[in-house]
Amino acid sequence: MLPLFGYTLVSGVLVSLGLFGALARRNTLSILIAIELIFNAANINLVAFNRYLHPGQPAGQAFAIFVIALAAAEAVVGLALVLTVYRQFKTVLSEDLNLLKG
Amino acid sequence: MIAKLVFAFLAVLVLVPAGLAVTVKNIFHSALWLVLSLTGVAGLFALLGADFLFVAQILVYTGGITVLLLFVVLLSGSPKDWIVRQVNGQWAWGLALSAIFVGLLATLFKQIPEPAELTPAAPTSAPLGLMLVRDMLLPFEAVSLVLLAALVGAIHFSKRNS
């Protein structure tokens, strides 16, 4: 039997990689990619805990479906915003988008 | 034994492309590594007996979101963006914070007691569908509304001269 710790460790490393990407990357699209990694780490944990601690009722998997749906909505709106920002400012680098900075 | 090998393979398939996706310079390559990582996550779902999520992950993530991402990568940004430095000034702090975070998470996850025995995995699509339309009907409808709003919002934002 596979230990639950293996799945949680994979998801922990994945969420940290996503955190690093969201904090350190300059490109807005890279930040969106990192956020997708964080969503997936959360999904792995939801499904693993569902399988190991509450087998028989797929509530964790239902939550994961909601997370996937909301991630799709987030990606669509985020990518549309990036596209609009690129058309306006001709850049996608986050430090150049300082219109509100005094 | 075979399950352990499969798990190790999938863990490498998830983590190595994910690490490359947040470190490579070329944003197009980064999106392609993301596809591989998300496919590995789908494999983990299959190993956990979540058959519907396995299909949904491949359909929505590797089939939908990343293709959309690749379109936007090609539509926005000039080729010179692919050769500039990709990390900002605080990347060392970000790396340190992520390292501390993964250490804390690992110690936290160590505390969770391992379950004694695992029942064999059964298909979960049918109970999942029943749960979605019985217990979770209101969130289900709310998510459909959110998706509609996201669709309208995306069209509004990406319209020219808006």
Side-chain angles (χ1 to χ4, degrees), chain B residues 103-150:
Chain B
L104 286 177
L105 277 179
T107 46
L108 183 68
F109 289 146
K110 267 276 187 221
Q111 313 288 321
I112 301 167
E114 290 285 335
E117 198 50 57
L118 210 55
T119 51
T124 56
S125 293
L128 193 59
L130 286 175
M131 174 169 257
L132 278 179
V133 294
R134 277 185 189 151
D135 303 334
M136 299 193 168
L137 186 58
L138 188 63
F140 187 68
E141 296 297 332
V143 161
S144 68
L145 205 61
V146 168
L147 279 175
L148 180 68

mmCIF file of all heavy atoms in Angstrom, chain B residues 103-150:
data_model
loop_
_atom_site.group_PDB
_atom_site.id
_atom_site.type_symbol
_atom_site.label_atom_id
_atom_site.label_comp_id
_atom_site.label_asym_id
_atom_site.label_seq_id
_atom_site.Cartn_x
_atom_site.Cartn_y
_atom_site.Cartn_z
ATOM 1 N N GLY B 103 9.338 22.855 3.758
ATOM 2 C CA GLY B 103 9.760 22.183 4.985
ATOM 3 C C GLY B 103 8.656 22.132 6.014
ATOM 4 O O GLY B 103 8.388 21.084 6.634
ATOM 5 N N LEU B 104 7.986 23.268 6.201
ATOM 6 C CA LEU B 104 6.885 23.325 7.162
ATOM 7 C C LEU B 104 5.767 22.376 6.756
ATOM 8 O O LEU B 104 5.217 21.643 7.595
ATOM 9 C CB LEU B 104 6.349 24.758 7.254
ATOM 10 C CG LEU B 104 7.203 25.773 7.983
ATOM 11 C CD1 LEU B 104 6.555 27.148 7.904
ATOM 12 C CD2 LEU B 104 7.364 25.369 9.429
ATOM 13 N N LEU B 105 5.440 22.361 5.446
ATOM 14 C CA LEU B 105 4.369 21.483 4.969
ATOM 15 C C LEU B 105 4.728 20.018 5.203
ATOM 16 O O LEU B 105 3.874 19.221 5.613
ATOM 17 C CB LEU B 105 4.117 21.720 3.486
ATOM 18 C CG LEU B 105 3.216 22.882 3.103
ATOM 19 C CD1 LEU B 105 3.115 22.974 1.597
ATOM 20 C CD2 LEU B 105 1.840 22.709 3.688
ATOM 21 N N ALA B 106 6.014 19.652 4.963
ATOM 22 C CA ALA B 106 6.419 18.258 5.128
ATOM 23 C C ALA B 106 6.305 17.842 6.588
ATOM 24 O O ALA B 106 5.788 16.758 6.899
ATOM 25 C CB ALA B 106 7.852 18.074 4.622
ATOM 26 N N THR B 107 6.744 18.717 7.521
ATOM 27 C CA THR B 107 6.613 18.363 8.935
ATOM 28 C C THR B 107 5.144 18.266 9.329
ATOM 29 O O THR B 107 4.758 17.416 10.133
ATOM 30 C CB THR B 107 7.315 19.405 9.818
ATOM 31 O OG1 THR B 107 6.945 20.694 9.363
ATOM 32 C CG2 THR B 107 8.809 19.251 9.779
ATOM 33 N N LEU B 108 4.311 19.132 8.751
ATOM 34 C CA LEU B 108 2.876 19.091 9.052
ATOM 35 C C LEU B 108 2.251 17.795 8.551
ATOM 36 O O LEU B 108 1.502 17.121 9.272
ATOM 37 C CB LEU B 108 2.197 20.292 8.412
ATOM 38 C CG LEU B 108 0.708 20.461 8.663
ATOM 39 C CD1 LEU B 108 0.476 20.798 10.113
ATOM 40 C CD2 LEU B 108 0.127 21.533 7.783
ATOM 41 N N PHE B 109 2.602 17.422 7.309
ATOM 42 C CA PHE B 109 2.002 16.215 6.731
ATOM 43 C C PHE B 109 2.495 14.957 7.426
ATOM 44 O O PHE B 109 1.818 13.924 7.401
ATOM 45 C CB PHE B 109 2.299 16.149 5.236
ATOM 46 C CG PHE B 109 1.545 17.161 4.426
ATOM 47 C CD1 PHE B 109 2.117 17.741 3.307
ATOM 48 C CD2 PHE B 109 0.266 17.540 4.776
ATOM 49 C CE1 PHE B 109 1.431 18.680 2.558
ATOM 50 C CE2 PHE B 109 -0.428 18.474 4.044
ATOM 51 C CZ PHE B 109 0.155 19.053 2.933
ATOM 52 N N LYS B 110 3.716 15.033 8.048
ATOM 53 C CA LYS B 110 4.214 13.891 8.810
ATOM 54 C C LYS B 110 3.296 13.557 9.983
ATOM 55 O O LYS B 110 3.229 12.407 10.432
ATOM 56 C CB LYS B 110 5.623 14.205 9.343
ATOM 57 C CG LYS B 110 6.741 13.736 8.437
ATOM 58 C CD LYS B 110 7.070 12.279 8.686
ATOM 59 C CE LYS B 110 8.296 11.867 7.900
ATOM 60 N NZ LYS B 110 8.143 10.541 7.304
ATOM 61 N N GLN B 111 2.591 14.572 10.520
ATOM 62 C CA GLN B 111 1.761 14.370 11.708
ATOM 63 C C GLN B 111 0.497 13.566 11.395
ATOM 64 O O GLN B 111 -0.119 13.015 12.308
ATOM 65 C CB GLN B 111 1.321 15.721 12.287
ATOM 66 C CG GLN B 111 2.429 16.735 12.435
ATOM 67 C CD GLN B 111 3.365 16.383 13.548
ATOM 68 O OE1 GLN B 111 2.928 15.921 14.586
ATOM 69 N NE2 GLN B 111 4.653 16.568 13.327
ATOM 70 N N ILE B 112 0.088 13.540 10.105
ATOM 71 C CA ILE B 112 -1.176 12.884 9.767
ATOM 72 C C ILE B 112 -1.010 11.379 9.947
ATOM 73 O O ILE B 112 -0.085 10.782 9.388
ATOM 74 C CB ILE B 112 -1.564 13.209 8.315
ATOM 75 C CG1 ILE B 112 -1.696 14.717 8.140
ATOM 76 C CG2 ILE B 112 -2.852 12.520 7.937
ATOM 77 C CD1 ILE B 112 -1.766 15.141 6.703
ATOM 78 N N PRO B 113 -1.858 10.735 10.754
ATOM 79 C CA PRO B 113 -1.727 9.290 10.911
ATOM 80 C C PRO B 113 -2.076 8.556 9.621
ATOM 81 O O PRO B 113 -3.029 8.908 8.925
ATOM 82 C CB PRO B 113 -2.732 8.979 12.018
ATOM 83 C CG PRO B 113 -3.701 10.088 11.980
ATOM 84 C CD PRO B 113 -2.958 11.302 11.522
ATOM 85 N N GLU B 114 -1.266 7.545 9.286
ATOM 86 C CA GLU B 114 -1.543 6.744 8.097
ATOM 87 C C GLU B 114 -2.745 5.837 8.370
ATOM 88 O O GLU B 114 -2.854 5.237 9.432
ATOM 89 C CB GLU B 114 -0.329 5.875 7.771
ATOM 90 C CG GLU B 114 0.864 6.657 7.256
ATOM 91 C CD GLU B 114 0.689 7.132 5.818
ATOM 92 O OE1 GLU B 114 -0.077 6.500 5.080
ATOM 93 O OE2 GLU B 114 1.322 8.134 5.453
ATOM 94 N N PRO B 115 -3.672 5.744 7.426
ATOM 95 C CA PRO B 115 -4.805 4.836 7.611
ATOM 96 C C PRO B 115 -4.339 3.376 7.606
ATOM 97 O O PRO B 115 -3.353 3.030 6.959
ATOM 98 C CB PRO B 115 -5.705 5.144 6.433
ATOM 99 C CG PRO B 115 -4.839 5.789 5.438
ATOM 100 C CD PRO B 115 -3.759 6.496 6.180
ATOM 101 N N ALA B 116 -5.051 2.542 8.382
ATOM 102 C CA ALA B 116 -4.584 1.175 8.576
ATOM 103 C C ALA B 116 -4.671 0.361 7.287
ATOM 104 O O ALA B 116 -3.676 -0.167 6.809
ATOM 105 C CB ALA B 116 -5.413 0.505 9.669
ATOM 106 N N GLU B 117 -5.827 0.246 6.718
ATOM 107 C CA GLU B 117 -6.016 -0.601 5.539
ATOM 108 C C GLU B 117 -6.870 0.138 4.524
ATOM 109 O O GLU B 117 -7.732 0.936 4.871
ATOM 110 C CB GLU B 117 -6.684 -1.916 5.930
ATOM 111 C CG GLU B 117 -6.522 -3.001 4.898
ATOM 112 C CD GLU B 117 -5.066 -3.181 4.447
ATOM 113 O OE1 GLU B 117 -4.197 -3.437 5.293
ATOM 114 O OE2 GLU B 117 -4.819 -3.028 3.239
ATOM 115 N N LEU B 118 -6.576 -0.138 3.264
ATOM 116 C CA LEU B 118 -7.250 0.592 2.197
ATOM 117 C C LEU B 118 -8.163 -0.380 1.459
ATOM 118 O O LEU B 118 -7.742 -1.467 1.074
ATOM 119 C CB LEU B 118 -6.200 1.165 1.253
ATOM 120 C CG LEU B 118 -6.532 2.443 0.531
ATOM 121 C CD1 LEU B 118 -6.934 3.518 1.515
ATOM 122 C CD2 LEU B 118 -5.340 2.898 -0.265
ATOM 123 N N THR B 119 -9.416 0.047 1.261
ATOM 124 C CA THR B 119 -10.313 -0.775 0.454
ATOM 125 C C THR B 119 -9.916 -0.645 -1.006
ATOM 126 O O THR B 119 -9.409 0.390 -1.424
ATOM 127 C CB THR B 119 -11.760 -0.299 0.626
ATOM 128 O OG1 THR B 119 -11.797 1.106 0.400
ATOM 129 C CG2 THR B 119 -12.278 -0.610 2.008
ATOM 130 N N PRO B 120 -10.120 -1.696 -1.812
ATOM 131 C CA PRO B 120 -9.756 -1.588 -3.230
ATOM 132 C C PRO B 120 -10.549 -0.477 -3.914
ATOM 133 O O PRO B 120 -11.705 -0.226 -3.564
ATOM 134 C CB PRO B 120 -10.121 -2.955 -3.807
ATOM 135 C CG PRO B 120 -10.519 -3.806 -2.686
ATOM 136 C CD PRO B 120 -10.626 -3.010 -1.460
ATOM 137 N N ALA B 121 -9.903 0.172 -4.841
ATOM 138 C CA ALA B 121 -10.535 1.302 -5.510
ATOM 139 C C ALA B 121 -11.703 0.829 -6.361
ATOM 140 O O ALA B 121 -11.603 -0.174 -7.057
ATOM 141 C CB ALA B 121 -9.510 2.034 -6.386
ATOM 142 N N ALA B 122 -12.815 1.558 -6.268
ATOM 143 C CA ALA B 122 -13.986 1.270 -7.082
ATOM 144 C C ALA B 122 -14.248 2.490 -7.957
ATOM 145 O O ALA B 122 -13.834 3.593 -7.615
ATOM 146 C CB ALA B 122 -15.186 0.983 -6.186
ATOM 147 N N PRO B 123 -14.927 2.324 -9.118
ATOM 148 C CA PRO B 123 -15.251 3.489 -9.937
ATOM 149 C C PRO B 123 -16.103 4.486 -9.156
ATOM 150 O O PRO B 123 -17.027 4.094 -8.426
ATOM 151 C CB PRO B 123 -16.038 2.903 -11.104
ATOM 152 C CG PRO B 123 -15.665 1.486 -11.156
ATOM 153 C CD PRO B 123 -15.355 1.077 -9.753
ATOM 154 N N THR B 124 -15.764 5.760 -9.260
ATOM 155 C CA THR B 124 -16.483 6.761 -8.471
ATOM 156 C C THR B 124 -17.330 7.705 -9.321
ATOM 157 O O THR B 124 -17.923 8.626 -8.779
ATOM 158 C CB THR B 124 -15.496 7.610 -7.653
ATOM 159 O OG1 THR B 124 -14.545 8.181 -8.552
ATOM 160 C CG2 THR B 124 -14.788 6.790 -6.620
ATOM 161 N N SER B 125 -17.388 7.468 -10.635
ATOM 162 C CA SER B 125 -18.123 8.425 -11.470
ATOM 163 C C SER B 125 -19.600 8.488 -11.094
ATOM 164 O O SER B 125 -20.161 9.577 -10.971
ATOM 165 C CB SER B 125 -17.992 8.033 -12.939
ATOM 166 O OG SER B 125 -16.678 8.198 -13.366
ATOM 167 N N ALA B 126 -20.223 7.317 -10.891
ATOM 168 C CA ALA B 126 -21.666 7.303 -10.614
ATOM 169 C C ALA B 126 -21.986 7.956 -9.263
ATOM 170 O O ALA B 126 -22.831 8.867 -9.200
ATOM 171 C CB ALA B 126 -22.186 5.873 -10.679
ATOM 172 N N PRO B 127 -21.320 7.559 -8.144
ATOM 173 C CA PRO B 127 -21.617 8.262 -6.889
ATOM 174 C C PRO B 127 -21.268 9.742 -6.929
ATOM 175 O O PRO B 127 -21.962 10.564 -6.308
ATOM 176 C CB PRO B 127 -20.774 7.526 -5.843
ATOM 177 C CG PRO B 127 -19.897 6.623 -6.567
ATOM 178 C CD PRO B 127 -20.460 6.396 -7.905
ATOM 179 N N LEU B 128 -20.232 10.082 -7.693
ATOM 180 C CA LEU B 128 -19.848 11.496 -7.809
ATOM 181 C C LEU B 128 -20.947 12.291 -8.506
ATOM 182 O O LEU B 128 -21.322 13.381 -8.052
ATOM 183 C CB LEU B 128 -18.544 11.585 -8.596
ATOM 184 C CG LEU B 128 -17.794 12.894 -8.580
ATOM 185 C CD1 LEU B 128 -17.434 13.259 -7.168
ATOM 186 C CD2 LEU B 128 -16.539 12.778 -9.408
ATOM 187 N N GLY B 129 -21.491 11.732 -9.597
ATOM 188 C CA GLY B 129 -22.568 12.427 -10.301
ATOM 189 C C GLY B 129 -23.794 12.595 -9.438
ATOM 190 O O GLY B 129 -24.413 13.668 -9.407
ATOM 191 N N LEU B 130 -24.136 11.538 -8.670
ATOM 192 C CA LEU B 130 -25.297 11.640 -7.790
ATOM 193 C C LEU B 130 -25.075 12.689 -6.711
ATOM 194 O O LEU B 130 -25.975 13.455 -6.382
ATOM 195 C CB LEU B 130 -25.577 10.282 -7.154
ATOM 196 C CG LEU B 130 -26.199 9.265 -8.101
ATOM 197 C CD1 LEU B 130 -26.329 7.927 -7.403
ATOM 198 C CD2 LEU B 130 -27.559 9.747 -8.565
ATOM 199 N N MET B 131 -23.820 12.718 -6.176
ATOM 200 C CA MET B 131 -23.535 13.692 -5.127
ATOM 201 C C MET B 131 -23.644 15.118 -5.667
ATOM 202 O O MET B 131 -24.153 16.013 -4.993
ATOM 203 C CB MET B 131 -22.137 13.435 -4.568
ATOM 204 C CG MET B 131 -21.679 14.467 -3.575
ATOM 205 S SD MET B 131 -20.197 13.959 -2.733
ATOM 206 C CE MET B 131 -20.876 13.457 -1.172
ATOM 207 N N LEU B 132 -23.192 15.312 -6.922
ATOM 208 C CA LEU B 132 -23.217 16.667 -7.481
ATOM 209 C C LEU B 132 -24.637 17.181 -7.656
ATOM 210 O O LEU B 132 -24.888 18.374 -7.485
ATOM 211 C CB LEU B 132 -22.494 16.695 -8.830
ATOM 212 C CG LEU B 132 -20.981 16.809 -8.791
ATOM 213 C CD1 LEU B 132 -20.437 16.805 -10.199
ATOM 214 C CD2 LEU B 132 -20.554 18.066 -8.088
ATOM 215 N N VAL B 133 -25.583 16.299 -8.029
ATOM 216 C CA VAL B 133 -26.940 16.796 -8.254
ATOM 217 C C VAL B 133 -27.841 16.604 -7.047
ATOM 218 O O VAL B 133 -28.982 17.048 -7.063
ATOM 219 C CB VAL B 133 -27.594 16.143 -9.492
ATOM 220 C CG1 VAL B 133 -26.873 16.566 -10.747
ATOM 221 C CG2 VAL B 133 -27.621 14.651 -9.355
ATOM 222 N N ARG B 134 -27.345 15.959 -5.974
ATOM 223 C CA ARG B 134 -28.169 15.842 -4.769
ATOM 224 C C ARG B 134 -27.694 16.785 -3.674
ATOM 225 O O ARG B 134 -28.336 17.761 -3.348
ATOM 226 C CB ARG B 134 -28.139 14.399 -4.262
ATOM 227 C CG ARG B 134 -29.126 13.517 -4.991
ATOM 228 C CD ARG B 134 -29.142 12.149 -4.358
ATOM 229 N NE ARG B 134 -29.922 11.226 -5.179
ATOM 230 C CZ ARG B 134 -29.682 9.929 -5.213
ATOM 231 N NH1 ARG B 134 -28.694 9.415 -4.503
ATOM 232 N NH2 ARG B 134 -30.420 9.140 -5.955
ATOM 233 N N ASP B 135 -26.490 16.461 -3.117
ATOM 234 C CA ASP B 135 -26.019 17.231 -1.961
ATOM 235 C C ASP B 135 -25.457 18.577 -2.366
ATOM 236 O O ASP B 135 -25.517 19.539 -1.610
ATOM 237 C CB ASP B 135 -24.931 16.448 -1.209
ATOM 238 C CG ASP B 135 -25.427 15.099 -0.777
ATOM 239 O OD1 ASP B 135 -26.651 14.973 -0.602
ATOM 240 O OD2 ASP B 135 -24.607 14.177 -0.631
ATOM 241 N N MET B 136 -24.863 18.635 -3.554
ATOM 242 C CA MET B 136 -24.132 19.849 -3.928
ATOM 243 C C MET B 136 -24.807 20.558 -5.087
ATOM 244 O O MET B 136 -24.132 21.145 -5.930
ATOM 245 C CB MET B 136 -22.692 19.498 -4.296
ATOM 246 C CG MET B 136 -21.943 18.886 -3.158
ATOM 247 S SD MET B 136 -20.206 18.831 -3.497
ATOM 248 C CE MET B 136 -19.584 18.421 -1.864
ATOM 249 N N LEU B 137 -26.150 20.543 -5.109
ATOM 250 C CA LEU B 137 -26.850 21.140 -6.249
ATOM 251 C C LEU B 137 -26.639 22.644 -6.298
ATOM 252 O O LEU B 137 -26.368 23.202 -7.372
ATOM 253 C CB LEU B 137 -28.339 20.808 -6.148
ATOM 254 C CG LEU B 137 -29.164 21.245 -7.350
ATOM 255 C CD1 LEU B 137 -28.628 20.604 -8.604
ATOM 256 C CD2 LEU B 137 -30.619 20.874 -7.164
ATOM 257 N N LEU B 138 -26.707 23.302 -5.141
ATOM 258 C CA LEU B 138 -26.576 24.765 -5.130
ATOM 259 C C LEU B 138 -25.177 25.218 -5.561
ATOM 260 O O LEU B 138 -25.058 26.077 -6.441
ATOM 261 C CB LEU B 138 -26.938 25.301 -3.747
ATOM 262 C CG LEU B 138 -27.036 26.818 -3.656
ATOM 263 C CD1 LEU B 138 -28.149 27.324 -4.550
ATOM 264 C CD2 LEU B 138 -27.259 27.271 -2.230
ATOM 265 N N PRO B 139 -24.079 24.648 -4.984
ATOM 266 C CA PRO B 139 -22.751 25.023 -5.501
ATOM 267 C C PRO B 139 -22.568 24.697 -6.978
ATOM 268 O O PRO B 139 -21.930 25.461 -7.715
ATOM 269 C CB PRO B 139 -21.784 24.192 -4.655
ATOM 270 C CG PRO B 139 -22.542 23.765 -3.483
ATOM 271 C CD PRO B 139 -23.974 23.765 -3.835
ATOM 272 N N PHE B 140 -23.164 23.596 -7.420
ATOM 273 C CA PHE B 140 -23.069 23.196 -8.828
ATOM 274 C C PHE B 140 -23.647 24.286 -9.729
ATOM 275 O O PHE B 140 -23.024 24.721 -10.698
ATOM 276 C CB PHE B 140 -23.819 21.874 -8.980
ATOM 277 C CG PHE B 140 -23.701 21.230 -10.323
ATOM 278 C CD1 PHE B 140 -22.494 20.719 -10.749
ATOM 279 C CD2 PHE B 140 -24.803 21.115 -11.139
ATOM 280 C CE1 PHE B 140 -22.389 20.117 -11.975
ATOM 281 C CE2 PHE B 140 -24.707 20.518 -12.370
ATOM 282 C CZ PHE B 140 -23.492 20.016 -12.789
ATOM 283 N N GLU B 141 -24.854 24.762 -9.368
ATOM 284 C CA GLU B 141 -25.485 25.820 -10.165
ATOM 285 C C GLU B 141 -24.697 27.119 -10.048
ATOM 286 O O GLU B 141 -24.570 27.868 -11.024
ATOM 287 C CB GLU B 141 -26.925 26.029 -9.705
ATOM 288 C CG GLU B 141 -27.827 24.824 -9.930
ATOM 289 C CD GLU B 141 -27.977 24.499 -11.401
ATOM 290 O OE1 GLU B 141 -27.858 25.415 -12.214
ATOM 291 O OE2 GLU B 141 -28.183 23.320 -11.724
ATOM 292 N N ALA B 142 -24.169 27.386 -8.852
ATOM 293 C CA ALA B 142 -23.385 28.609 -8.676
ATOM 294 C C ALA B 142 -22.154 28.586 -9.567
ATOM 295 O O ALA B 142 -21.794 29.599 -10.180
ATOM 296 C CB ALA B 142 -22.986 28.763 -7.208
ATOM 297 N N VAL B 143 -21.495 27.410 -9.670
ATOM 298 C CA VAL B 143 -20.309 27.308 -10.526
ATOM 299 C C VAL B 143 -20.680 27.522 -11.985
ATOM 300 O O VAL B 143 -19.937 28.159 -12.743
ATOM 301 C CB VAL B 143 -19.622 25.945 -10.303
ATOM 302 C CG1 VAL B 143 -18.705 25.609 -11.451
ATOM 303 C CG2 VAL B 143 -18.801 25.990 -9.036
ATOM 304 N N SER B 144 -21.860 27.017 -12.390
ATOM 305 C CA SER B 144 -22.255 27.234 -13.785
ATOM 306 C C SER B 144 -22.472 28.720 -14.049
ATOM 307 O O SER B 144 -22.112 29.232 -15.115
ATOM 308 C CB SER B 144 -23.507 26.432 -14.118
ATOM 309 O OG SER B 144 -24.607 26.932 -13.420
ATOM 310 N N LEU B 145 -22.999 29.429 -13.047
ATOM 311 C CA LEU B 145 -23.177 30.873 -13.188
ATOM 312 C C LEU B 145 -21.831 31.578 -13.280
ATOM 313 O O LEU B 145 -21.636 32.498 -14.084
ATOM 314 C CB LEU B 145 -23.973 31.395 -11.996
ATOM 315 C CG LEU B 145 -24.754 32.693 -12.199
ATOM 316 C CD1 LEU B 145 -25.784 32.506 -13.283
ATOM 317 C CD2 LEU B 145 -25.404 33.126 -10.910
ATOM 318 N N VAL B 146 -20.863 31.127 -12.435
ATOM 319 C CA VAL B 146 -19.523 31.721 -12.454
ATOM 320 C C VAL B 146 -18.869 31.507 -13.818
ATOM 321 O O VAL B 146 -18.242 32.421 -14.380
ATOM 322 C CB VAL B 146 -18.658 31.118 -11.323
ATOM 323 C CG1 VAL B 146 -17.197 31.491 -11.514
ATOM 324 C CG2 VAL B 146 -19.133 31.609 -9.980
ATOM 325 N N LEU B 147 -19.049 30.305 -14.386
ATOM 326 C CA LEU B 147 -18.457 30.036 -15.705
ATOM 327 C C LEU B 147 -19.060 30.943 -16.773
ATOM 328 O O LEU B 147 -18.350 31.460 -17.636
ATOM 329 C CB LEU B 147 -18.668 28.572 -16.070
ATOM 330 C CG LEU B 147 -17.698 27.586 -15.449
ATOM 331 C CD1 LEU B 147 -18.087 26.173 -15.800
ATOM 332 C CD2 LEU B 147 -16.283 27.854 -15.920
ATOM 333 N N LEU B 148 -20.390 31.159 -16.688
ATOM 334 C CA LEU B 148 -21.051 32.050 -17.650
ATOM 335 C C LEU B 148 -20.513 33.459 -17.506
ATOM 336 O O LEU B 148 -20.198 34.134 -18.506
ATOM 337 C CB LEU B 148 -22.557 32.011 -17.424
ATOM 338 C CG LEU B 148 -23.363 32.894 -18.376
ATOM 339 C CD1 LEU B 148 -23.282 32.349 -19.778
ATOM 340 C CD2 LEU B 148 -24.796 33.000 -17.930
ATOM 341 N N ALA B 149 -20.357 33.906 -16.228
ATOM 342 C CA ALA B 149 -19.842 35.256 -15.993
ATOM 343 C C ALA B 149 -18.420 35.382 -16.522
ATOM 344 O O ALA B 149 -18.051 36.409 -17.116
ATOM 345 C CB ALA B 149 -19.895 35.575 -14.503
ATOM 346 N N ALA B 150 -17.604 34.331 -16.333
ATOM 347 C CA ALA B 150 -16.223 34.367 -16.818
ATOM 348 C C ALA B 150 -16.197 34.452 -18.337
ATOM 349 O O ALA B 150 -15.393 35.194 -18.924
ATOM 350 C CB ALA B 150 -15.464 33.129 -16.344
#
